[in-house]
Amino acid sequence: AGGGGGGGGSRERKMSDRQKTERRERNREHAKRSRIRKKFLLESLQQSVSLLKDENEKLRSSIRQHLGDEDADRLLSAENLANADAGGAGLIATSAGDANKVLEDPDFSFIKALQTAQQNFVVTDPSLPDNPIVYATQGFLNLTGYTLDQVLGRNCRFLQGPETDPKAVEKIRRSIEEGTDMSVCLLNYRVDGTTFWNQFFIAALRDAAGNVTNYVGVQCKVSDQYAANVCRRQEEADRAAEAEADPEAAQMAAAQAQAQAQAAPQAAMQPAQAMA
C-alpha cells in the first residue's frame, strides 16, 4: 500500500501481459469473496440500522408530543405487536453491543478505529499472489482518482512513479516482509499522472495465533512543506542508521561531503577572477 511493492517486482516484470491480467482477475474474484469485505459490509449495515433506530426514537417522541401519552401508548403498543408478529424483534439488536458482536474479533478492532477516524485506506491480502488490494475506501478512490474495479486485485505499486523515492519503497517492502508497522512520507501518483505527498502508514492485522492475515495501508495527503520537513528527518535518520551499521563508510561519506562543500566556493571564485 502507499506505493509499496511488497516484493515480487522482478517476478512481475518477467510475466506476460496475459499472465498479469489473468492473475489480477483471480485476485479480484478472491477479493470479492473475502471475509474482510463481508465484515465491512456488515458494519456499514449496522451503522445504517443505528441511524434508523435514532430516527425511530425521534419519531416516537414526536408522536407523544402531538398525540399525548395515552394515544401514543396505544399506537406504539400496536406497532410493537406488529413487529413481534413479523419477527422484527429478532432482526434488530436491542443494544449496540449485541449489534456489533460479530465485529468484535481482535484482528478487526484496528479496522473499526480506522473507519471512524480515517477514510483513506486500503486492505491487502498477503495470502494471495503479489499481496493485492481486497478492499479500498471511497476516500482512497477520491484521493487517487481510481475506481474500485481498477484497484481490486492489484498490488499497490501502481501508486509509484518516476519521482517516488526508492528508499521509501524499500522501507515499505521490508515492513511487509517482516510483518512490522511503519510510517514513511513519499511521493505518489494519481490515475491522471498528477502527484501528491503521502504520509503513509502500514500495519499488519493478525489472527489469534499471531499470523498476519492482512495489511492495512493508510494514506494521508500532506502539504509540500510538511513533506519536505519529514523527508529531511527521514534522510537524517537513514544516515544515522548507516553510520551505526558501518562507521568507517559513514566517516568517508562525511569527509567527501565536507570536501565538496569546501571546493564549491573556490570553484565559484574562478570564473569571477577570469572575468576580472
Side-chain angles (χ1 to χ4, degrees):
S10 59
R11 294 194 300 273
E12 173 145 321
R13 286 192 292 269
K14 294 178 182 178
M15 298 177 68
S16 67
D17 290 341
R18 178 180 177 182
Q19 288 174 317
K20 286 189 283 188
T21 299
E22 291 176 350
R23 184 181 65 185
R24 186 176 302 166
E25 288 303 318
R26 288 196 300 270
N27 287 345
R28 183 175 289 117
E29 288 304 312
H30 281 297
K32 289 177 180 178
R33 296 193 299 267
S34 70
R35 182 169 65 105
I36 199 164
R37 281 179 59 80
K38 294 176 183 177
K39 292 279 188 177
F40 277 112
L41 176 60
L42 181 57
E43 179 160 300
S44 177
L45 291 174
Q46 294 289 2
Q47 290 173 346
S48 297
V49 169
S50 178
L51 291 174
L52 288 173
K53 289 177 70 177
D54 289 341
E55 291 300 319
N56 187 34
E57 290 302 318
K58 293 178 182 178
L59 180 58
R60 286 171 180 264
S61 297
S62 179
I63 290 173
R64 289 189 179 281
Q65 181 179 354
H66 289 85
L67 298 183
D69 288 342
E70 184 176 349
D71 289 339
D73 287 340
R74 185 165 53 252
L75 177 63
L76 294 176
S77 177
E79 177 191 9
N80 286 333
L81 288 174
N83 282 340
D85 290 339
L91 180 64
I92 299 178
T94 57
S95 68
D98 292 338
N100 292 311
K101 185 176 181 180
V102 70
L103 298 169
E104 292 302 322
D105 298 338
D107 52 329
F108 287 97
S109 60
F110 181 62
I111 292 291
K112 292 172 66 180
L114 276 177
Q115 284 187 309
T116 303
Q118 171 60 260
Q119 296 301 314
N120 304 334
F121 69 94
V122 297
V123 179
T124 67
D125 188 344
S127 70
L128 299 177
D130 209 27
N131 191 25
I133 294 173
V134 295
Y135 179 84
T137 65
Q138 187 60 48
F140 172 84
L141 302 177
N142 294 341
L143 175 63
T144 63
Y146 288 90
T147 64
L148 186 61
D149 190 58
Q150 288 176 312
V151 303
L152 281 182
R154 297 179 65 184
N155 183 281
C156 296
R157 68 174 63 89
F158 62 80
L159 294 177
Q160 298 176 25
E163 300 300 320
T164 303
D165 185 4
K167 289 185 178 180
V169 176
E170 173 61 19
K171 291 178 182 178
I172 298 172
R173 186 200 65 78
R174 194 182 314 124
S175 174
I176 294 174
E177 191 175 85
E178 297 173 355
T180 57
D181 300 350
M182 62 86 65
S183 181
V184 66
C185 188
L186 75 166
L187 192 69
N188 278 163
Y189 288 71
R190 300 182 179 90
V191 67
D192 61 3
T194 58
T195 60
F196 66 96
W197 283 103
N198 178 13
Q199 182 63 51
F200 174 69
F201 174 76
I202 187 169
L205 299 182
R206 301 177 183 275
D207 59 20
N211 301 312
V212 176
T213 58
N214 297 94
Y215 286 98
V216 177
V218 183
Q219 294 77 23
C220 182
K221 183 178 178 295
V222 297
S223 67
D224 292 349
Q225 181 178 357
Y226 175 91
N229 292 334
V230 172
C231 289
R232 185 181 68 252
R233 292 197 296 270
Q234 287 177 178
E235 291 174 358
E236 293 173 352
D238 290 343
R239 285 195 295 268
E242 291 171 359
E244 184 177 353
D246 192 345
E248 185 176 345
Q251 290 177 358
M252 291 178 61
Q256 290 176 354
Q258 185 176 3
Q260 291 174 354
Q262 293 175 347
Q266 296 177 357
M269 290 176 59
Q270 290 177 357
Q273 291 174 351
M275 291 177 64

